[in-house]
Amino acid sequence: MGCGLDEIATRLRGGERLRAGEALDLYRAAPTLELGRLADAARAAKHPERIVTYIIDRNVNYTNVCVARCNFCAFYRPVGAGDGYVLGFDEIFAKIDETLEVGGVQLLLQGGHNPDLPLGWYEDLFRAVKERYPTFRLHALSPPEVIHLSRLSQLPVPAVVERLVAAGLDSIPGGGAEILVDRVRRLLNCHGKATAEEWLDVMRTAHRAGLRTTATMMYGTVERPEERIEHLLRLRDLQDETGGFTAFIAWSYQPPNTELGGIEATGVEYLRTLALARLVLDNFDNLQASWVTQGGRVGQLSLAFGANDMGSVMIEENVVRAAGAAYCMDEVEIVRNIENAGFVPKRRNMHYELLGDPIFRERAVPRMLELAVARAGEVGAPPPEVARYPARSRAEKARRAAR
């Protein structure tokens, strides 16, 4: 590395905190392998035991109907669309049963901003899940979804969080962060669903309420490198304040089938971004490898670029699949990738508490060779639970009137 980069590397190895300008210099000029070595050293300092964790859960998207209309999203459908759906409670219970069968411990539950699903629908769902599966965890509702429910219910965010926790919410995923810079959010048409400060404030509120959450970054759209770093620094500042984040996950924008279009960032750019995140986010213990957008091989290589976690077995995925990515790794494949990279695989929960060795080595579990989808077959009419609440959208009012 050049003289300036050598000085930055020396400071990092001495435990000093990376500043914005230094982070930008590293990202722009450091050789990829050297950036990886620095990130790997930072990972090893936090995790010297060479354990790499993963979680068995299911990513359930309960509705694709959304009024946010982000231009980078290939998943959402407008209100009244023929292929818009809402999952019924029985469908969600069936997905939990399948998750338990392979050793899963939680649902990652996220969906569109559907105006016909009020706060009460979520409370009823969460209570129904907890009544049937008392120890099963609900890692649910990204900050923009919480803000959407705040607007629908005309309740402040802390009150919404309090009600959701009372109904059974266990933790909040970091979706909807994209890039936490409002210039970028306006260009992505996601500023209306949550400004950068609104996203951060939901997480601050959740942390103060005793919830743990994750943080994310979707890069590769219209942001500049310095805006990626601003995003990381804002997360670092909030972590300094609350200590409530358990992990950070970065993934590349998937352009196919989106209004925004464009070209996907390369695997090398992903590894450089991941390594930089490990170096900037010195107060985050855990970084996940995004194999669902990068594939198993780059996911495995992530373990040499700062990641200490292989994320989720997932079982199901709909959002990235809508943009053309359909990578799948069941527990067997995840464990193989971890061990072939020279690490020890361990199952965990959302709080990064270790749960044990791979389930498939303890008992027979079904192999999963492709990710499941939200719903197979025809979309059909909304489930009966939706009719418990007054219709808000014109399309839903018309549908009910026509029955």
Side-chain angles (χ1 to χ4, degrees):
M1 293 196 296
C3 182
L5 297 180
D6 287 338
E7 292 175 1
I8 295 171
T10 299
R11 290 186 59 250
L12 278 171
R13 293 187 182 104
E16 296 186 46
R17 175 162 270 192
L18 201 59
R19 296 187 288 260
E22 296 169 330
L24 187 60
D25 288 344
L26 280 177
Y27 183 77
R28 284 179 167 167
T32 298
L33 288 179
E34 181 59 26
L35 197 55
R37 289 190 190 100
L38 291 171
D40 189 53
R43 187 272 314 154
K46 288 183 177 291
H47 304 280
E49 69 288 345
R50 295 192 66 79
I51 288 175
V52 168
T53 51
Y54 64 94
I55 188 169
I56 303 175
D57 68 355
R58 184 166 188 151
N59 187 1
V60 174
N61 303 110
Y62 57 87
T63 183
N64 64 348
V65 176
C66 190
V67 296
R69 305 177 78 95
C70 302
N71 62 19
F72 57 83
C73 180
F75 171 70
Y76 84 88
R77 296 296 181 267
V79 176
D83 54 351
Y85 72 82
V86 176
L87 295 180
F89 288 11
D90 285 342
E91 291 178 280
I92 293 173
F93 298 153
K95 292 175 183 294
I96 293 175
D97 289 335
E98 293 169 0
T99 304
L100 291 169
E101 186 180 5
V102 296
V105 295
Q106 74 173 18
L107 284 190
L108 168 53
L109 192 68
Q110 299 181 106
H113 300 188
N114 189 330
D116 294 307
L117 299 182
L119 178 58
W121 182 90
Y122 296 86
E123 291 177 298
D124 286 347
L125 172 62
F126 290 5
R127 289 193 182 102
V129 169
K130 290 297 184 174
E131 183 178 348
R132 285 180 175 238
Y133 313 94
T135 62
F136 197 75
R137 296 295 182 129
L138 290 171
H139 183 47
L141 306 186
S142 63
E145 290 169 90
V146 174
I147 292 168
H148 168 69
L149 291 177
S150 172
R151 293 167 180 169
L152 276 185
S153 64
Q154 297 186 343
L155 293 171
V157 164
V160 171
V161 171
E162 182 180 3
R163 284 180 57 169
L164 291 170
V165 170
L169 177 67
D170 293 298
S171 55
I172 292 179
E178 326 325 345
I179 296 291
L180 292 171
V181 177
D182 285 339
R183 183 196 78 86
V184 176
R185 302 185 73 79
R186 290 188 183 94
L187 292 174
L188 296 179
N189 200 38
C190 66
H191 186 264
K193 73 177 183 181
T195 65
E197 189 52 46
E198 285 173 334
W199 189 97
L200 290 163
D201 192 57
V202 171
M203 290 308 198
R204 181 180 291 109
T205 298
H207 297 166
R208 287 174 176 170
L211 295 180
R212 304 300 300 277
T213 76
T214 56
T216 67
M217 177 171 72
M218 183 194 71
Y219 68 91
T221 55
V222 297
E223 83 283 351
R224 307 173 184 126
E226 54 266 34
E227 289 169 323
R228 295 183 196 179
I229 292 166
E230 182 178 347
H231 176 105
L232 296 173
L233 292 174
R234 298 196 76 172
L235 292 177
R236 189 173 77 178
D237 288 345
L238 183 55
Q239 184 76 330
D240 279 344
E241 178 186 338
T242 67
F245 291 116
T246 61
F248 172 78
I249 311 102
W251 63 80
S252 58
Y253 161 58
Q254 306 292 301
N257 306 321
T258 65
E259 177 187 341
L260 182 63
I263 299 172
E264 183 181 355
T266 66
V268 170
E269 189 170 357
Y270 167 73
L271 293 172
R272 292 181 66 83
T273 301
L274 176 69
L276 186 71
R278 173 56 86 184
L279 297 174
V280 174
L281 298 176
D282 52 19
N283 52 5
F284 278 65
D285 286 339
N286 305 295
L287 264 67
Q288 290 184 22
S290 181
W291 62 261
V292 74
T293 60
Q294 302 299 317
R297 291 294 172 243
V298 176
Q300 183 187 58
L301 196 54
S302 300
L303 302 180
F305 280 77
N308 66 292
D309 184 87
M310 282 292 275
S312 167
V313 171
M314 293 195 94
I315 302 172
E316 175 178 328
E317 205 290 319
N318 302 283
V319 176
V320 171
R321 182 198 298 264
Y327 294 113
C328 175
M329 286 205 297
D330 65 2
E331 188 189 28
V332 173
E333 284 294 316
I334 283 181
V335 167
R336 181 181 298 143
N337 274 275
I338 292 171
E339 291 180 336
N340 287 348
F343 294 90
V344 178
K346 293 287 184 181
R347 288 180 294 115
R348 63 164 175 88
N349 60 19
M350 187 270 167
H351 290 79
Y352 281 79
E353 297 163 338
L354 298 184
L355 301 181
D357 295 324
I359 283 282
F360 74 89
R361 288 180 177 158
E362 298 176 0
R363 60 178 171 86
V365 295
R367 289 299 308 270
M368 185 184 67
L369 302 180
E370 64 179 9
L371 291 172
V373 296
R375 176 185 282 168
E378 297 296 323
V379 170
E385 294 86 9
V386 176
R388 297 175 188 170
Y389 309 97
R392 294 179 60 94
S393 71
R394 181 180 301 175
E396 180 62 13
K397 289 176 181 177
R399 188 193 70 81
R400 294 188 190 184
R403 288 187 303 179

mmCIF file of all heavy atoms in Angstrom, residues 35-69:
data_model
loop_
_atom_site.group_PDB
_atom_site.id
_atom_site.type_symbol
_atom_site.label_atom_id
_atom_site.label_comp_id
_atom_site.label_asym_id
_atom_site.label_seq_id
_atom_site.Cartn_x
_atom_site.Cartn_y
_atom_site.Cartn_z
ATOM 1 N N LEU A 35 -7.008 -5.155 1.793
ATOM 2 C CA LEU A 35 -8.237 -4.773 2.478
ATOM 3 C C LEU A 35 -8.833 -6.001 3.176
ATOM 4 O O LEU A 35 -9.307 -5.927 4.320
ATOM 5 C CB LEU A 35 -9.220 -4.187 1.460
ATOM 6 C CG LEU A 35 -10.403 -3.371 1.969
ATOM 7 C CD1 LEU A 35 -9.953 -2.216 2.847
ATOM 8 C CD2 LEU A 35 -11.215 -2.852 0.784
ATOM 9 N N GLY A 36 -8.781 -7.134 2.500
ATOM 10 C CA GLY A 36 -9.265 -8.369 3.097
ATOM 11 C C GLY A 36 -8.451 -8.778 4.308
ATOM 12 O O GLY A 36 -9.009 -9.230 5.322
ATOM 13 N N ARG A 37 -7.127 -8.637 4.223
ATOM 14 C CA ARG A 37 -6.276 -8.999 5.371
ATOM 15 C C ARG A 37 -6.597 -8.144 6.594
ATOM 16 O O ARG A 37 -6.652 -8.638 7.718
ATOM 17 C CB ARG A 37 -4.800 -8.841 5.001
ATOM 18 C CG ARG A 37 -4.282 -9.884 4.019
ATOM 19 C CD ARG A 37 -2.778 -9.807 3.885
ATOM 20 N NE ARG A 37 -2.308 -10.627 2.787
ATOM 21 C CZ ARG A 37 -1.980 -10.171 1.572
ATOM 22 N NH1 ARG A 37 -2.073 -8.865 1.316
ATOM 23 N NH2 ARG A 37 -1.560 -10.983 0.632
ATOM 24 N N LEU A 38 -6.799 -6.842 6.374
ATOM 25 C CA LEU A 38 -7.141 -5.960 7.489
ATOM 26 C C LEU A 38 -8.478 -6.356 8.107
ATOM 27 O O LEU A 38 -8.624 -6.403 9.336
ATOM 28 C CB LEU A 38 -7.198 -4.506 7.008
ATOM 29 C CG LEU A 38 -5.860 -3.862 6.619
ATOM 30 C CD1 LEU A 38 -6.104 -2.514 5.953
ATOM 31 C CD2 LEU A 38 -4.976 -3.695 7.866
ATOM 32 N N ALA A 39 -9.466 -6.646 7.250
ATOM 33 C CA ALA A 39 -10.781 -7.032 7.751
ATOM 34 C C ALA A 39 -10.729 -8.381 8.463
ATOM 35 O O ALA A 39 -11.386 -8.584 9.494
ATOM 36 C CB ALA A 39 -11.787 -7.067 6.603
ATOM 37 N N ASP A 40 -9.944 -9.299 7.923
ATOM 38 C CA ASP A 40 -9.832 -10.615 8.547
ATOM 39 C C ASP A 40 -9.173 -10.508 9.917
ATOM 40 O O ASP A 40 -9.556 -11.209 10.865
ATOM 41 C CB ASP A 40 -9.034 -11.551 7.642
ATOM 42 C CG ASP A 40 -9.068 -12.992 8.128
ATOM 43 O OD1 ASP A 40 -10.185 -13.519 8.344
ATOM 44 O OD2 ASP A 40 -8.000 -13.585 8.306
ATOM 45 N N ALA A 41 -8.194 -9.632 10.027
ATOM 46 C CA ALA A 41 -7.550 -9.429 11.327
ATOM 47 C C ALA A 41 -8.533 -8.827 12.330
ATOM 48 O O ALA A 41 -8.546 -9.208 13.514
ATOM 49 C CB ALA A 41 -6.331 -8.525 11.169
ATOM 50 N N ALA A 42 -9.372 -7.912 11.857
ATOM 51 C CA ALA A 42 -10.375 -7.316 12.744
ATOM 52 C C ALA A 42 -11.399 -8.365 13.167
ATOM 53 O O ALA A 42 -11.833 -8.402 14.329
ATOM 54 C CB ALA A 42 -11.062 -6.145 12.048
ATOM 55 N N ARG A 43 -11.774 -9.243 12.235
ATOM 56 C CA ARG A 43 -12.694 -10.334 12.561
ATOM 57 C C ARG A 43 -12.069 -11.279 13.588
ATOM 58 O O ARG A 43 -12.698 -11.664 14.574
ATOM 59 C CB ARG A 43 -13.056 -11.092 11.283
ATOM 60 C CG ARG A 43 -14.135 -12.161 11.382
ATOM 61 C CD ARG A 43 -13.618 -13.519 11.749
ATOM 62 N NE ARG A 43 -12.443 -13.901 10.986
ATOM 63 C CZ ARG A 43 -11.536 -14.757 11.409
ATOM 64 N NH1 ARG A 43 -11.665 -15.355 12.594
ATOM 65 N NH2 ARG A 43 -10.475 -15.051 10.676
ATOM 66 N N ALA A 44 -10.816 -11.633 13.373
ATOM 67 C CA ALA A 44 -10.135 -12.569 14.277
ATOM 68 C C ALA A 44 -9.965 -11.984 15.672
ATOM 69 O O ALA A 44 -9.993 -12.725 16.669
ATOM 70 C CB ALA A 44 -8.777 -12.951 13.695
ATOM 71 N N ALA A 45 -9.801 -10.677 15.770
ATOM 72 C CA ALA A 45 -9.662 -10.048 17.083
ATOM 73 C C ALA A 45 -10.947 -10.189 17.896
ATOM 74 O O ALA A 45 -10.907 -10.341 19.125
ATOM 75 C CB ALA A 45 -9.294 -8.576 16.924
ATOM 76 N N LYS A 46 -12.090 -10.146 17.214
ATOM 77 C CA LYS A 46 -13.372 -10.303 17.899
ATOM 78 C C LYS A 46 -13.766 -11.768 18.066
ATOM 79 O O LYS A 46 -14.494 -12.122 18.999
ATOM 80 C CB LYS A 46 -14.471 -9.562 17.131
ATOM 81 C CG LYS A 46 -14.411 -8.047 17.228
ATOM 82 C CD LYS A 46 -15.586 -7.409 16.507
ATOM 83 C CE LYS A 46 -15.574 -5.898 16.648
ATOM 84 N NZ LYS A 46 -15.876 -5.457 18.046
ATOM 85 N N HIS A 47 -13.316 -12.626 17.153
ATOM 86 C CA HIS A 47 -13.736 -14.034 17.135
ATOM 87 C C HIS A 47 -12.514 -14.941 16.948
ATOM 88 O O HIS A 47 -12.380 -15.613 15.930
ATOM 89 C CB HIS A 47 -14.756 -14.264 16.021
ATOM 90 C CG HIS A 47 -15.965 -13.378 16.110
ATOM 91 N ND1 HIS A 47 -17.007 -13.631 16.965
ATOM 92 C CD2 HIS A 47 -16.268 -12.222 15.463
ATOM 93 C CE1 HIS A 47 -17.920 -12.678 16.836
ATOM 94 N NE2 HIS A 47 -17.498 -11.817 15.944
ATOM 95 N N PRO A 48 -11.632 -14.989 17.924
ATOM 96 C CA PRO A 48 -10.402 -15.774 17.771
ATOM 97 C C PRO A 48 -10.635 -17.282 17.755
ATOM 98 O O PRO A 48 -9.758 -18.036 17.342
ATOM 99 C CB PRO A 48 -9.575 -15.360 18.997
ATOM 100 C CG PRO A 48 -10.585 -14.927 20.014
ATOM 101 C CD PRO A 48 -11.679 -14.280 19.217
ATOM 102 N N GLU A 49 -11.811 -17.739 18.184
ATOM 103 C CA GLU A 49 -12.075 -19.177 18.280
ATOM 104 C C GLU A 49 -12.401 -19.808 16.934
ATOM 105 O O GLU A 49 -12.592 -21.021 16.848
ATOM 106 C CB GLU A 49 -13.235 -19.415 19.258
ATOM 107 C CG GLU A 49 -14.608 -18.950 18.777
ATOM 108 C CD GLU A 49 -14.796 -17.442 18.755
ATOM 109 O OE1 GLU A 49 -13.991 -16.722 19.370
ATOM 110 O OE2 GLU A 49 -15.764 -16.977 18.122
ATOM 111 N N ARG A 50 -12.487 -19.008 15.869
ATOM 112 C CA ARG A 50 -12.737 -19.478 14.497
ATOM 113 C C ARG A 50 -14.085 -20.198 14.358
ATOM 114 O O ARG A 50 -14.246 -21.093 13.528
ATOM 115 C CB ARG A 50 -11.601 -20.387 13.988
ATOM 116 C CG ARG A 50 -10.275 -19.658 13.844
ATOM 117 C CD ARG A 50 -9.251 -20.462 13.080
ATOM 118 N NE ARG A 50 -9.616 -20.665 11.669
ATOM 119 C CZ ARG A 50 -9.468 -19.752 10.710
ATOM 120 N NH1 ARG A 50 -9.005 -18.546 10.988
ATOM 121 N NH2 ARG A 50 -9.804 -20.044 9.468
ATOM 122 N N ILE A 51 -15.038 -19.781 15.141
ATOM 123 C CA ILE A 51 -16.416 -20.251 14.961
ATOM 124 C C ILE A 51 -17.119 -19.347 13.963
ATOM 125 O O ILE A 51 -17.008 -18.118 14.043
ATOM 126 C CB ILE A 51 -17.172 -20.254 16.308
ATOM 127 C CG1 ILE A 51 -16.655 -21.383 17.204
ATOM 128 C CG2 ILE A 51 -18.686 -20.383 16.103
ATOM 129 C CD1 ILE A 51 -17.259 -21.384 18.591
ATOM 130 N N VAL A 52 -17.816 -19.961 13.020
ATOM 131 C CA VAL A 52 -18.689 -19.226 12.105
ATOM 132 C C VAL A 52 -20.110 -19.725 12.342
ATOM 133 O O VAL A 52 -20.375 -20.929 12.312
ATOM 134 C CB VAL A 52 -18.286 -19.418 10.635
ATOM 135 C CG1 VAL A 52 -19.374 -18.901 9.690
ATOM 136 C CG2 VAL A 52 -16.974 -18.684 10.354
ATOM 137 N N THR A 53 -21.004 -18.789 12.599
ATOM 138 C CA THR A 53 -22.365 -19.136 12.972
ATOM 139 C C THR A 53 -23.315 -19.051 11.778
ATOM 140 O O THR A 53 -22.990 -18.498 10.729
ATOM 141 C CB THR A 53 -22.858 -18.201 14.085
ATOM 142 O OG1 THR A 53 -22.618 -16.842 13.693
ATOM 143 C CG2 THR A 53 -22.142 -18.481 15.385
ATOM 144 N N TYR A 54 -24.508 -19.601 11.986
ATOM 145 C CA TYR A 54 -25.609 -19.471 11.026
ATOM 146 C C TYR A 54 -26.896 -19.727 11.784
ATOM 147 O O TYR A 54 -26.883 -20.274 12.897
ATOM 148 C CB TYR A 54 -25.459 -20.464 9.864
ATOM 149 C CG TYR A 54 -25.531 -21.912 10.268
ATOM 150 C CD1 TYR A 54 -26.734 -22.622 10.230
ATOM 151 C CD2 TYR A 54 -24.390 -22.582 10.713
ATOM 152 C CE1 TYR A 54 -26.786 -23.957 10.629
ATOM 153 C CE2 TYR A 54 -24.438 -23.909 11.108
ATOM 154 C CZ TYR A 54 -25.638 -24.592 11.059
ATOM 155 O OH TYR A 54 -25.703 -25.907 11.448
ATOM 156 N N ILE A 55 -28.016 -19.321 11.206
ATOM 157 C CA ILE A 55 -29.311 -19.528 11.837
ATOM 158 C C ILE A 55 -30.224 -20.282 10.876
ATOM 159 O O ILE A 55 -30.156 -20.081 9.661
ATOM 160 C CB ILE A 55 -29.950 -18.180 12.255
ATOM 161 C CG1 ILE A 55 -31.215 -18.407 13.095
ATOM 162 C CG2 ILE A 55 -30.254 -17.309 11.055
ATOM 163 C CD1 ILE A 55 -31.735 -17.136 13.764
ATOM 164 N N ILE A 56 -31.037 -21.162 11.422
ATOM 165 C CA ILE A 56 -32.061 -21.827 10.623
ATOM 166 C C ILE A 56 -33.369 -21.094 10.882
ATOM 167 O O ILE A 56 -33.924 -21.164 11.990
ATOM 168 C CB ILE A 56 -32.192 -23.312 10.984
ATOM 169 C CG1 ILE A 56 -30.849 -24.033 10.827
ATOM 170 C CG2 ILE A 56 -33.245 -23.987 10.096
ATOM 171 C CD1 ILE A 56 -30.872 -25.489 11.279
ATOM 172 N N ASP A 57 -33.831 -20.348 9.901
ATOM 173 C CA ASP A 57 -35.109 -19.670 10.006
ATOM 174 C C ASP A 57 -35.748 -19.598 8.631
ATOM 175 O O ASP A 57 -35.264 -20.207 7.678
ATOM 176 C CB ASP A 57 -34.973 -18.288 10.661
ATOM 177 C CG ASP A 57 -34.214 -17.285 9.801
ATOM 178 O OD1 ASP A 57 -33.704 -17.663 8.731
ATOM 179 O OD2 ASP A 57 -34.127 -16.106 10.202
ATOM 180 N N ARG A 58 -36.834 -18.893 8.529
ATOM 181 C CA ARG A 58 -37.556 -18.815 7.259
ATOM 182 C C ARG A 58 -37.915 -17.365 6.993
ATOM 183 O O ARG A 58 -38.450 -16.673 7.869
ATOM 184 C CB ARG A 58 -38.818 -19.677 7.300
ATOM 185 C CG ARG A 58 -39.566 -19.717 5.973
ATOM 186 C CD ARG A 58 -40.584 -20.832 5.973
ATOM 187 N NE ARG A 58 -41.179 -21.014 4.649
ATOM 188 C CZ ARG A 58 -41.638 -22.177 4.192
ATOM 189 N NH1 ARG A 58 -41.553 -23.264 4.950
ATOM 190 N NH2 ARG A 58 -42.155 -22.265 2.990
ATOM 191 N N ASN A 59 -37.643 -16.910 5.790
ATOM 192 C CA ASN A 59 -37.906 -15.529 5.403
ATOM 193 C C ASN A 59 -39.278 -15.471 4.743
ATOM 194 O O ASN A 59 -39.410 -15.775 3.554
ATOM 195 C CB ASN A 59 -36.807 -15.059 4.446
ATOM 196 C CG ASN A 59 -36.919 -13.586 4.128
ATOM 197 O OD1 ASN A 59 -37.799 -12.903 4.627
ATOM 198 N ND2 ASN A 59 -36.028 -13.097 3.291
ATOM 199 N N VAL A 60 -40.300 -15.105 5.502
ATOM 200 C CA VAL A 60 -41.673 -15.108 5.010
ATOM 201 C C VAL A 60 -42.113 -13.687 4.690
ATOM 202 O O VAL A 60 -42.083 -12.808 5.557
ATOM 203 C CB VAL A 60 -42.622 -15.740 6.050
ATOM 204 C CG1 VAL A 60 -44.074 -15.614 5.602
ATOM 205 C CG2 VAL A 60 -42.262 -17.208 6.267
ATOM 206 N N ASN A 61 -42.512 -13.473 3.457
ATOM 207 C CA ASN A 61 -43.042 -12.181 3.021
ATOM 208 C C ASN A 61 -44.561 -12.287 2.982
ATOM 209 O O ASN A 61 -45.128 -12.867 2.060
ATOM 210 C CB ASN A 61 -42.481 -11.796 1.657
ATOM 211 C CG ASN A 61 -40.964 -11.759 1.660
ATOM 212 O OD1 ASN A 61 -40.314 -12.606 1.053
ATOM 213 N ND2 ASN A 61 -40.382 -10.807 2.368
ATOM 214 N N TYR A 62 -45.209 -11.759 4.002
ATOM 215 C CA TYR A 62 -46.629 -12.006 4.242
ATOM 216 C C TYR A 62 -47.546 -11.313 3.240
ATOM 217 O O TYR A 62 -48.694 -11.708 3.063
ATOM 218 C CB TYR A 62 -47.002 -11.611 5.674
ATOM 219 C CG TYR A 62 -46.671 -10.166 5.996
ATOM 220 C CD1 TYR A 62 -47.564 -9.146 5.730
ATOM 221 C CD2 TYR A 62 -45.443 -9.833 6.563
ATOM 222 C CE1 TYR A 62 -47.246 -7.826 6.007
ATOM 223 C CE2 TYR A 62 -45.116 -8.526 6.848
ATOM 224 C CZ TYR A 62 -46.022 -7.525 6.566
ATOM 225 O OH TYR A 62 -45.700 -6.224 6.832
ATOM 226 N N THR A 63 -47.080 -10.271 2.580
ATOM 227 C CA THR A 63 -47.839 -9.625 1.509
ATOM 228 C C THR A 63 -46.869 -8.951 0.544
ATOM 229 O O THR A 63 -45.797 -8.490 0.948
ATOM 230 C CB THR A 63 -48.837 -8.582 2.049
ATOM 231 O OG1 THR A 63 -49.607 -8.035 0.956
ATOM 232 C CG2 THR A 63 -48.138 -7.434 2.761
ATOM 233 N N ASN A 64 -47.253 -8.923 -0.731
ATOM 234 C CA ASN A 64 -46.460 -8.179 -1.719
ATOM 235 C C ASN A 64 -47.155 -6.896 -2.140
ATOM 236 O O ASN A 64 -46.659 -6.184 -3.015
ATOM 237 C CB ASN A 64 -46.150 -9.047 -2.945
ATOM 238 C CG ASN A 64 -47.392 -9.453 -3.713
ATOM 239 O OD1 ASN A 64 -48.522 -9.295 -3.242
ATOM 240 N ND2 ASN A 64 -47.206 -10.005 -4.908
ATOM 241 N N VAL A 65 -48.294 -6.594 -1.553
ATOM 242 C CA VAL A 65 -49.021 -5.360 -1.860
ATOM 243 C C VAL A 65 -48.348 -4.206 -1.114
ATOM 244 O O VAL A 65 -48.135 -4.282 0.104
ATOM 245 C CB VAL A 65 -50.499 -5.482 -1.445
ATOM 246 C CG1 VAL A 65 -51.229 -4.150 -1.670
ATOM 247 C CG2 VAL A 65 -51.168 -6.601 -2.223
ATOM 248 N N CYS A 66 -48.016 -3.154 -1.829
ATOM 249 C CA CYS A 66 -47.218 -2.094 -1.208
ATOM 250 C C CYS A 66 -47.493 -0.750 -1.870
ATOM 251 O O CYS A 66 -47.516 -0.638 -3.099
ATOM 252 C CB CYS A 66 -45.729 -2.427 -1.320
ATOM 253 S SG CYS A 66 -44.667 -1.331 -0.353
ATOM 254 N N VAL A 67 -47.670 0.261 -1.041
ATOM 255 C CA VAL A 67 -47.898 1.612 -1.552
ATOM 256 C C VAL A 67 -46.606 2.423 -1.631
ATOM 257 O O VAL A 67 -46.616 3.552 -2.120
ATOM 258 C CB VAL A 67 -48.927 2.362 -0.670
ATOM 259 C CG1 VAL A 67 -50.284 1.686 -0.730
ATOM 260 C CG2 VAL A 67 -48.439 2.476 0.780
ATOM 261 N N ALA A 68 -45.494 1.871 -1.167
ATOM 262 C CA ALA A 68 -44.238 2.630 -1.162
ATOM 263 C C ALA A 68 -43.680 2.818 -2.569
ATOM 264 O O ALA A 68 -43.124 3.867 -2.894
ATOM 265 C CB ALA A 68 -43.209 1.936 -0.275
ATOM 266 N N ARG A 69 -43.754 1.785 -3.402
ATOM 267 C CA ARG A 69 -43.355 1.851 -4.816
ATOM 268 C C ARG A 69 -41.893 2.279 -5.001
ATOM 269 O O ARG A 69 -41.577 3.119 -5.852
ATOM 270 C CB ARG A 69 -44.284 2.781 -5.594
ATOM 271 C CG ARG A 69 -45.761 2.414 -5.472
ATOM 272 C CD ARG A 69 -46.656 3.407 -6.187
ATOM 273 N NE ARG A 69 -46.645 3.179 -7.618
ATOM 274 C CZ ARG A 69 -47.547 2.440 -8.265
ATOM 275 N NH1 ARG A 69 -48.517 1.836 -7.601
ATOM 276 N NH2 ARG A 69 -47.474 2.294 -9.572
#
